Amino acid sequence: MEILDPHLLINNIWAEFQSTFQLVIKGLIIGIVVSAPMGPTGILCIQRTMNKGREYGLVTGAGAATSDLFYAIITGFGMSFVMDFISQAENIFWLKVAGSIILFFFGIITFRSNPTKKLHTPSGQKGTLLNNYISAFLVTVANPLIIFLFIALFAQFTFVVPTNFLGVVFGYLSIIAGAMLWWFGLTHALTKMKHTVGEKGLVLMNRIIGGVVIFASIIYAFTTIFKISLRFYNLPEIIDAIKNLFT
């Protein structure tokens, strides 16, 4: 009977934890970035939060997050073929450069857009929470161009969901969790500042989001082209340092 080496077992478990932890962090970031720009769903969420109440804004965000999960799964399965492709450093380089370019133009579009043009006069009818959820899902899923944003983010973060069941669950749930974090924070802020957020505030919010995306895309492109390592993002080293504190 073969005796298992406890140290080897612990190292394997720790390696699996590291991989899953990195996947979850990347998924959370992707979920937030996809949800943040003030598109039709964002405006819908703001309107419902301010006119109907926070719970209606949250279910609107949940509908959008469900649609995001749908497109994330499509992107994930469509990009599964790159598993062998990204094993080469040169391929990763060009994939990240392309992802940075897409994010850059996405940031410009977000920065220059005026979300107040999409505002509508409230009808006065709240509808059920389920109806609000379904309508938000349909509004978001009707925009298939979002899949290109997912492709750019998956490429930039080298987000490849493992083939095992646990990895798939954690990977995709982290994306929807990131999206819901954004909607939770947005509806909370709107509830606190209900009477102070006007059209200028929405435009400013969109420009800040667009500016952050543009800045991040430039940083990613710069670090990729000049092969600069972002030390604060090196999760394996951070985790190893934490591990060493307890060994």
Side-chain angles (χ1 to χ4, degrees), residues 3-245:
I3 300 176
L4 293 176
D5 185 348
H7 295 289
L8 180 60
L9 181 61
I10 292 174
N11 287 335
N12 289 339
I13 294 174
W14 186 256
E16 188 68 27
F17 171 78
Q18 284 182 308
S19 176
T20 304
F21 181 74
Q22 291 183 68
L23 189 71
V24 169
I25 294 298
K26 292 176 181 179
L28 288 173
I29 295 173
I30 289 173
I32 292 172
V33 172
V34 167
S35 303
M38 289 293 105
T41 310
I43 296 300
L44 197 61
C45 177
I46 291 173
Q47 286 182 316
R48 288 176 176 177
T49 301
M50 301 182 72
N51 298 323
K52 300 180 181 182
R54 188 184 180 190
E55 63 274 21
Y56 286 88
L58 278 175
V59 296
T60 300
T66 306
S67 173
D68 291 340
L69 177 63
F70 170 73
Y71 280 119
I73 292 174
I74 292 177
T75 306
F77 279 105
M79 290 191 65
S80 60
F81 73 94
V82 302
M83 286 291 290
D84 294 329
F85 180 78
I86 64 174
S87 62
Q88 301 180 26
E90 183 180 354
N91 294 336
I92 295 179
F93 172 83
W94 289 112
L95 205 58
K96 288 189 174 184
V97 169
S100 297
I101 293 173
I102 295 175
L103 286 178
F104 178 78
F105 283 106
F106 178 78
I108 290 179
I109 293 173
T110 301
F111 185 88
R112 298 185 62 184
S113 64
N114 185 355
T116 61
K117 293 181 179 180
K118 302 170 185 175
L119 288 171
H120 302 287
T121 305
S123 64
Q125 298 179 346
K126 287 187 174 182
T128 65
L129 292 176
L130 180 60
N131 286 340
N132 281 262
Y133 169 84
I134 293 174
S135 61
F137 172 80
L138 293 176
V139 167
T140 312
V141 83
N143 180 25
L145 293 179
I146 196 173
I147 200 168
F148 291 105
L149 178 57
F150 272 113
I151 291 173
L153 291 170
F154 275 38
Q156 185 60 59
F157 289 100
T158 321
F159 186 85
V160 180
V161 178
T163 55
N164 62 80
F165 176 76
L166 195 61
V168 171
V169 171
F170 276 106
Y172 289 119
L173 284 185
S174 63
I175 293 177
I176 197 171
M180 287 309 301
L181 275 175
W182 168 258
W183 297 120
F184 183 87
L186 179 63
T187 54
H188 176 76
L190 289 172
T191 302
K192 294 294 183 181
M193 304 183 296
K194 186 174 182 179
H195 302 292
T196 58
V197 178
E199 292 187 1
K200 290 184 178 179
L202 295 179
V203 173
L204 178 61
M205 185 187 302
N206 223 37
R207 288 183 176 176
I208 291 174
I209 294 170
V212 170
V213 173
I214 292 171
F215 178 76
S217 66
I218 293 174
I219 294 297
Y220 285 139
F222 183 83
T223 55
T224 300
I225 292 172
F226 294 98
K227 299 180 180 180
I228 300 174
S229 175
L230 296 178
R231 305 299 295 179
F232 65 87
Y233 184 70
N234 198 333
L235 290 176
E237 290 189 5
I238 295 174
I239 295 173
D240 285 339
I242 296 174
K243 180 183 176 183
N244 291 333
L245 293 175

